[in-house]
Amino acid sequence: MTPLHRIEERLRSLSFRQAFGLVAVANLILIGLAFALPADGGERGPAILSVLGNFHILALHIPAAVLLIVPMFEFFERHEQATSTVRRLSVFSAAGTWGAVLCGIFHAHFNGFEGDAVQLHLWGGIAASIFAGIASLLLSQGFLLRLVGQVVAIGVMSFAAHVGGELQHGDGFPFKPNKSVLTQRDVPPTPVVDNGQKRDDYAQVIAPILEAHCVECHGAKKVKGKLRMDSLEALKKGGSEGSAFVPGDLKKSLMHVRVTLDPSDEEFMPTEGNALTKDQVQAFALFIEGKPIPDDVAKAAIAATKAPKQAPKK
Ligand code: HEC
């Protein structure tokens, strides 16, 4: 008898009330941790805990896949009583979802995540763990009730996974092409203005610069200064200090103000890594003033976004 068999026997010997208590306590721990370790944008040590958090992205795929195949086994086996295969898969998916959410709470808290989308994903994940737990409690019930429990758990998990997918790959994922794929493939690498077709300066010049230099701290996952820079509307809306993009007004457009300060200024952007090049700053200025960005400036500005990142400035 392996240790796994022993665990299985222990779990099977639990009364319904005991099993309910176990699922309830496990998920209350997650809820407690979500409050104790909030996703508030702070980046923290110790490194080992933030590494554990990084495993969230790996860990979550395993229970998600197992949760999805439980109904398949139910249909193949179609027993009024849950077979041991179904039991093992269902309990494993509940425990695995719990573990993935635990890693996720660490991930968000230690690696500086914040914002509405992160909160939605966090609580969606906790709900998925609760419903996967309920599905495993329903194992003592008949075929139909078990199936309903699993389908509901899959639905909640899919919602949480979708929000997580959008965090990772951008709004509209998976039904829209990935933004970085867009900038790499669909946008001509050397934009032209002189062939009679007007270039979309925002989409083809400004957005790729923001994507490469700013969005890592000003996007869905991290919203420093309450400012997102992943769309034109978000730039106009601005952050806690006001709009980042005020057409025609360089002094009020914080996306320009912050990149033209003295690099030693605390408010200089980006706070770490590559400062913008002269051409990139000029592209921002022309765009804010509503003037077309000349070809050579656009080309040089885009080329500089592809430069490898330098070590963060002290
Ligand atoms: C490594 C993280 C990081 C990167 C990259 C970064 N920022 Fe920031 N940004 C911050 C932090 C932290 C704050 C909040 C503190 C502050 O206001 O200085 C902030 C605040 C801002 C604000 C003020 C928002 C407000 O209304 O309070 C603007 C504007 C801004 N950043 C522009 C930029 C631009 C433009 C880029 C890209 C060139 C950029 N940032 C890249 C971390 C970053």
Side-chain angles (χ1 to χ4, degrees), residues 53-85:
N54 292 341
F55 273 87
H56 172 62
I57 310 279
L58 174 69
L60 65 92
H61 292 99
I62 301 162
V66 176
L67 200 62
L68 283 171
I69 62 173
V70 180
M72 197 176 84
F73 275 86
E74 287 278 26
F75 274 113
F76 273 130
E77 300 181 345
R78 262 207 111 128
H79 283 291
E80 194 45 30
Q81 289 208 325
T83 61
S84 57
T85 312

Side-chain angles (χ1 to χ4, degrees), residues 9-265:
E9 234 172 44
R10 284 291 291 275
L11 287 175
R12 287 200 72 158
S13 68
L14 295 179
S15 68
F16 183 80
R17 280 180 77 172
Q18 286 170 323
F20 180 85
L22 184 67
V23 168
V25 168
N27 285 293
L28 283 171
I29 290 176
L30 292 182
I31 294 172
L33 281 174
F35 284 106
L37 307 174
D40 55 5
E43 285 177 47
R44 310 171 162 91
I48 184 78
L49 286 176
S50 65
V51 169
L52 177 68
N54 292 341
F55 273 87
H56 172 62
I57 310 279
L58 174 69
L60 65 92
H61 292 99
I62 301 162
V66 176
L67 200 62
L68 283 171
I69 62 173
V70 180
M72 197 176 84
F73 275 86
E74 287 278 26
F75 274 113
F76 273 130
E77 300 181 345
R78 262 207 111 128
H79 283 291
E80 194 45 30
Q81 289 208 325
T83 61
S84 57
T85 312
V86 163
R87 284 180 171 280
R88 285 170 182 162
L89 290 174
S90 175
V91 170
F92 178 81
S93 69
T97 306
W98 184 87
V101 175
L102 183 72
C103 290
I105 293 173
F106 281 106
H107 191 39
H109 180 69
F110 287 94
N111 294 314
F113 293 93
E114 65 190 315
D116 295 345
V118 170
Q119 291 301 325
L120 193 62
H121 179 53
L122 173 69
W123 291 102
I126 291 176
S129 167
I130 292 172
F131 280 97
I134 293 175
S136 72
L137 289 175
L138 291 174
L139 284 171
S140 55
Q141 306 296 313
F143 179 75
L144 203 62
L145 208 52
R146 294 200 305 273
L147 204 61
V148 170
Q150 286 148 10
V151 169
V152 172
I154 288 172
V156 178
M157 188 266 295
S158 305
F159 168 75
H162 175 65
V163 181
E166 286 196 323
L167 281 177
Q168 196 69 13
H169 305 289
D171 282 349
F173 183 82
F175 302 110
K176 252 190 182 169
N178 192 328
K179 261 192 242 152
S180 57
V181 173
L182 255 181
T183 34
Q184 281 160 19
R185 294 217 199 104
D186 299 357
V187 172
T190 46
V192 280
V193 272
D194 52 4
N195 64 355
Q197 272 188 317
K198 205 174 166 316
R199 163 163 25 99
D200 179 349
D201 280 340
Y202 175 72
Q204 290 175 246
V205 185
I206 304 298
I209 300 174
L210 296 173
E211 190 72 41
H213 295 269
C214 316
V215 169
E216 97 190 64
C217 298
H218 296 287
K221 291 188 208 172
K222 298 185 184 175
V223 202
K224 301 295 175 200
K226 298 203 162 55
L227 171 63
R228 283 181 67 159
M229 309 193 80
D230 49 0
S231 70
L232 198 53
E233 298 80 68
L235 288 174
K236 283 188 187 151
K237 182 160 164 263
S240 52
E241 290 173 18
S243 182
F245 168 60
V246 183
D249 194 335
L250 283 185
K251 293 216 175 74
K252 282 204 187 129
S253 294
L254 292 180
M255 68 184 278
H256 186 257
V257 174
R258 291 291 195 109
V259 297
T260 46
L261 295 167
D262 187 277
S264 63
D265 192 307

